[in-house]
Amino acid sequence: MDHSEDADRDAREASSEAADGERGTFYATTPIFYVNAEPHLGHAYTTTLVDVVTRHHRQRGDDTYFLTGTDEHGEKIAKAAAKAGMSPQAYVDDVSGRFRATWDRLGIRYDEFIRTTEEHHKKVVREVLQHVYDAGDIFYGEYSGLYCVGAERFVTEKELVDGKCPDSDDPPEYRTEANYFFRMEKYRPWLREYIETHPDLIRPERYRNEVLAMLREPIGDLSISRPRARVPWGIPLPWDQDHVTYVWFDALINYYSALAAKGTVERYWPHVEHFIAKDIVKPHGLFWPIMLKAAGIPLYPHLNVHGYWLVNERKMSKSIGNVVRPLDLQEKYGNDAFRYFLMRDMTFGLDASFSEQGIAERINSDLANDLGNLLNRTLGMLTRYRDGFVPAAGPLEPIDEALRDAFTALPATFARQFDELHFDHAIESVMEAVRKANKYISDTAPWQLAKEATAEPDGPAAERLDTVLNSCIEALRCAAVLLDPIIPGKAQELREQLGIGQAPNGIDGAAQWGQVPAGTRTRPGDPLFPRIDLKALEDELAEPEVAPLEHKPEITIDDFAKLELRVVQVEKAEKHPKADKLLVLTVRMGSETRTVVSGIRAHYTPEQLVGKKLILVTNLKPVTLRGIRSEGMILAAEDADGKLSLATLDRDLDDGSEVR
Ligand code: MSP
């Protein structure tokens, strides 16, 4: 905790080295997720993103570390455990396990899954607290204000949106508490200047501006403890066991404690890249840098902030019922297609719209059409013309060179776009090259060359054909290397179909042409990404159509007044002896009783009816139904499927009462 400014500078230099394409170190983190909800699309996005980025850095040969985990302390979690009827520990074990299982199923290759209830983490939290306390940056005081349980913090009047907390959408409550406070305000001028002189500390720029705007006004001191009597589920302060640590103070330290426990602080901390969404910019852009400064730990080089996935243009929420479950999508579309969609369809920093149609369209256009097609055409021709073996290339002509250059330039562009957080552009550059390769096939017309080569086996066409086929194989190989972090399963399948399943997969290899040895035997297999039937999907997802209602001609109140409707009580109900659809009811209204024949036998048993109060049209002209005279009609509703429900009263009234 006594890193110097020099270490800080080294960190920044090291991180920019990586961008220059040299071997570097890369340490990336996701937020640690609260265990009060199941993993959803949003959690899956950040985790997949960090998985993709760390896989890419491993391909660059960087010393890479990927940390994710769960945030398990605090009032919110204790409440969720109580609601589930479980002890906090049993509850957090359960939900944390579910996060972990979800990441395993989604093929997330984290290096460490940290839990804030782990002893080694708690130890580091206590050490950091003690350090800050000893340095005089923590004091005891009383505070009153609006407190949001959902966001676990005091909120200001100004922050509220329609009277609700901007983070959690819950209404805050007024609280007064005696707590320990962290002297955050004192560091405001320092942080402001630091961000101003380190333009890419928080990126993209819109979020940097957001934090700078917060820093233009007093930020106050941060309440960093909660009375243990009220919130027992937390880490007790080392100097006062009657208080537990505020959950954000506890949680943020995970990024550091994970390394401290393993003795890898020096190795990885200077290179830490935090990935979060815009909801938690304030704790990460304000609290965290000041905590680090006060603790004598150098700042992170970058805080990378992405937008939100919206579902039907709205934030996902349990109450709207639009929460998307990642495993459902993985099962339906496959892991790689789902990952591809997530990475291709969000522009980092901005919100993006989620829809299943969006996934399906991406699969069809990019994965089945562009990439899948290139593979099928290439392997098909190779089988037809060269028995499935990769031929050696002859001398390259300008058209071959143009294709080669398009691909060999890609790794540098791709890595730069990754470093600049333009993941969608990076993927698009690869797909653009793939489309060029498809066009190259049409332009070079290998089928034509094959025809000429058959006619004249030693002529120039045979060699041209070899070169063209070889170039297509190389193009596919390069694409497979670059797309590997995004579609790891399918990229490997692709390489296996090319016959190079075991070959090195580093990004350098993609910058060199001619890596597939001549004579390699290809192994065509199933299509990598089967096309999705969009029409069938549309039908599946369509809201069931509600038929328009057919209306009767209008009537006047006088017409209506001609009807006499009364409450009746069923005294007796029997099956009609001669008709299996009819029941014969004896009903009472005041001093009168009547016999009514009703066609409800398929829907009600006689026993269900006795004692019920129903509504009778009393002045309908009597009719005789199969020999029994019916003196009125019972009212019932019927739905489109022919299901019946008798009209009854929603509170008890005397029989004979009139319905108007
Ligand atoms: N526990 C805190 C974080 C502590 S980090 C020291 C927390 N947890 S959370 O479970 O609420 O996760 C918030 C994060 O989930 C977001 O920052 C983002 O990574 C992810 N997402 C949640 N909803 C999201 C979307 N709708 N879209 C994209 N990602 C979002 O906050």
Side-chain angles (χ1 to χ4, degrees), residues 272-496:
V272 60
E273 296 282 331
H274 295 311
F275 289 87
I276 60 165
K278 61 183 187 180
D279 54 337
I280 49 179
V281 165
K282 187 169 180 179
H284 283 81
L286 218 64
F287 307 172
W288 186 220
I290 296 180
M291 281 167 66
L292 289 169
K293 175 76 178 163
I297 302 172
L299 252 58
Y300 49 77
H302 301 120
L303 173 66
N304 308 297
V305 187
H306 64 76
Y308 253 42
W309 280 99
L310 302 178
V311 179
N312 305 328
E313 304 311 317
R314 299 176 72 174
K315 200 170 151 179
M316 271 184 282
S317 101
K318 261 195 207 159
S319 54
I320 305 175
N322 63 347
V323 177
V324 176
R325 291 155 29 122
L327 290 180
D328 293 351
L329 298 170
Q330 181 229 26
E331 237 161 65
K332 191 159 171 187
Y333 298 99
N335 210 18
D336 294 278
F338 174 50
R339 289 167 68 102
Y340 184 88
F341 167 78
L342 289 181
M343 296 305 298
R344 176 64 189 82
D345 277 56
M346 178 173 267
T347 294
F348 195 88
L350 303 179
D351 290 348
S353 277
F354 170 84
S355 74
E356 277 196 51
Q357 282 91 342
I359 302 185
E361 279 164 21
R362 266 297 163 216
I363 294 178
N364 286 356
S365 64
D366 294 21
L367 299 175
N369 228 17
D370 297 340
L371 184 63
N373 223 3
L374 181 62
L375 178 67
N376 287 349
R377 291 168 89 188
T378 303
L379 295 191
M381 291 189 296
L382 221 70
T383 308
R384 249 172 286 134
Y385 310 139
R386 293 292 180 259
D387 295 329
F389 291 94
V390 177
L396 300 192
E397 293 193 356
I399 191 169
D400 315 317
E401 285 172 351
L403 184 75
R404 177 199 63 193
D405 295 347
F407 275 90
T408 52
L410 268 183
T413 317
F414 190 87
R416 181 175 45 76
Q417 283 167 330
F418 257 57
D419 291 344
E420 291 169 357
L421 309 170
H422 299 312
F423 307 107
D424 52 345
H425 293 180
I427 296 172
E428 186 50 24
S429 337
V430 180
M431 296 317 292
E432 221 176 271
V434 165
R435 285 191 286 273
K436 272 189 194 146
N438 274 319
K439 179 157 186 304
Y440 169 83
I441 296 181
S442 321
D443 291 348
T444 52
W447 44 91
Q448 197 57 43
L449 295 170
K451 224 189 262 169
E452 290 168 29
T454 320
E456 195 190 344
D458 293 329
E463 193 182 59
R464 275 305 294 149
L465 181 59
D466 284 348
T467 308
V468 168
L469 295 177
N470 183 289
S471 301
C472 293
I473 291 281
E474 285 297 322
L476 280 161
R477 179 186 62 79
C478 291
V481 171
L482 292 170
L483 293 176
D484 187 271
I486 300 134
I487 49 169
K490 294 294 177 179
Q492 182 57 23
E493 228 174 285
L494 201 170
R495 284 151 42 83
E496 269 154 25

Side-chain angles (χ1 to χ4, degrees), residues 30-36 40-43 45-46 71 76 99 248 251-255 275-280 284 306-310 315-316 346:
T30 71
I32 47 170
F33 302 110
Y34 286 129
V35 287
N36 64 337
H40 64 50
L41 177 73
H43 308 130
Y45 172 71
T46 319
D71 188 354
K76 182 155 74 174
F99 269 91
W248 271 105
L252 286 160
I253 292 173
N254 92 88
Y255 300 134
F275 289 87
I276 60 165
K278 61 183 187 180
D279 54 337
I280 49 179
H284 283 81
H306 64 76
Y308 253 42
W309 280 99
L310 302 178
K315 200 170 151 179
M316 271 184 282
M346 178 173 267

Side-chain angles (χ1 to χ4, degrees), residues 3 93 145 164 196 209 212 292 309 356 538 541 556 560 591 606 624:
H3 283 261
D93 286 350
K164 292 180 181 164
E196 265 158 9
N209 292 339
L212 279 174
L292 289 169
W309 280 99
E356 277 196 51
E538 205 177 286
L541 299 176
T556 64
F560 182 76
S591 56
T624 303

Side-chain angles (χ1 to χ4, degrees), residues 82-356:
K83 198 168 158 207
M86 294 167 90
S87 74
Q89 190 62 55
Y91 175 79
V92 299
D93 286 350
D94 177 49
V95 185
S96 174
R98 266 189 260 182
F99 269 91
R100 207 170 169 140
T102 302
W103 302 156
D104 290 345
R105 281 190 51 196
L106 292 177
I108 305 289
R109 277 204 290 172
Y110 50 79
D111 292 293
E112 181 172 348
F113 188 101
I114 191 169
R115 302 182 53 190
T116 53
T117 47
E118 284 167 333
E119 222 25 75
H120 73 81
H121 167 75
K122 296 198 251 181
K123 178 171 165 276
V124 177
V125 171
R126 282 193 293 266
E127 281 167 11
V128 172
L129 279 164
Q130 189 68 53
H131 183 99
V132 178
Y133 185 65
D134 293 344
D137 279 339
I138 291 177
F139 67 95
Y140 191 68
E142 201 166 76
Y143 186 81
S144 301
L146 294 171
Y147 186 82
C148 172
V149 176
E152 307 246 19
R153 66 179 179 93
F154 282 97
V155 288
T156 61
E157 198 82 56
K158 231 170 99 189
E159 272 183 284
L160 301 184
V161 181
D162 297 333
K164 292 180 181 164
C165 163
D167 299 353
S168 69
D169 252 1
D170 295 333
E173 56 195 54
Y174 195 78
R175 276 192 188 176
T176 299
E177 258 179 24
N179 284 328
Y180 285 92
F181 286 84
F182 172 46
R183 292 190 196 282
M184 212 165 58
E185 177 62 24
K186 168 180 146 189
Y187 288 95
R188 184 162 67 97
W190 163 79
L191 182 58
R192 195 170 162 187
E193 203 209 312
Y194 193 93
I195 297 178
E196 265 158 9
T197 52
H198 296 79
D200 62 352
L201 181 79
I202 301 173
R203 54 190 192 179
E205 206 183 350
R206 58 196 307 145
Y207 300 109
R208 169 179 187 256
N209 292 339
E210 213 175 88
V211 176
L212 279 174
M214 293 176 201
L215 287 169
R216 258 176 235 125
E217 299 191 11
I219 52 175
D221 292 327
L222 181 68
S223 147
I224 53 123
S225 68
R226 299 289 177 265
R228 198 168 171 188
R230 186 169 63 75
V231 187
W233 187 240
I235 306 175
L237 298 181
W239 64 89
D240 184 345
Q241 300 285 312
D242 290 341
H243 286 80
V244 297
T245 313
Y246 167 51
V247 60
W248 271 105
F249 211 99
D250 165 357
L252 286 160
I253 292 173
N254 92 88
Y255 300 134
Y256 184 83
S257 68
L259 304 185
K262 293 198 161 52
T264 50
V265 168
E266 302 236 321
R267 180 169 164 192
Y268 291 121
W269 183 253
H271 311 274
V272 60
E273 296 282 331
H274 295 311
F275 289 87
I276 60 165
K278 61 183 187 180
D279 54 337
I280 49 179
V281 165
K282 187 169 180 179
H284 283 81
L286 218 64
F287 307 172
W288 186 220
I290 296 180
M291 281 167 66
L292 289 169
K293 175 76 178 163
I297 302 172
L299 252 58
Y300 49 77
H302 301 120
L303 173 66
N304 308 297
V305 187
H306 64 76
Y308 253 42
W309 280 99
L310 302 178
V311 179
N312 305 328
E313 304 311 317
R314 299 176 72 174
K315 200 170 151 179
M316 271 184 282
S317 101
K318 261 195 207 159
S319 54
I320 305 175
N322 63 347
V323 177
V324 176
R325 291 155 29 122
L327 290 180
D328 293 351
L329 298 170
Q330 181 229 26
E331 237 161 65
K332 191 159 171 187
Y333 298 99
N335 210 18
D336 294 278
F338 174 50
R339 289 167 68 102
Y340 184 88
F341 167 78
L342 289 181
M343 296 305 298
R344 176 64 189 82
D345 277 56
M346 178 173 267
T347 294
F348 195 88
L350 303 179
D351 290 348
S353 277
F354 170 84
S355 74
E356 277 196 51

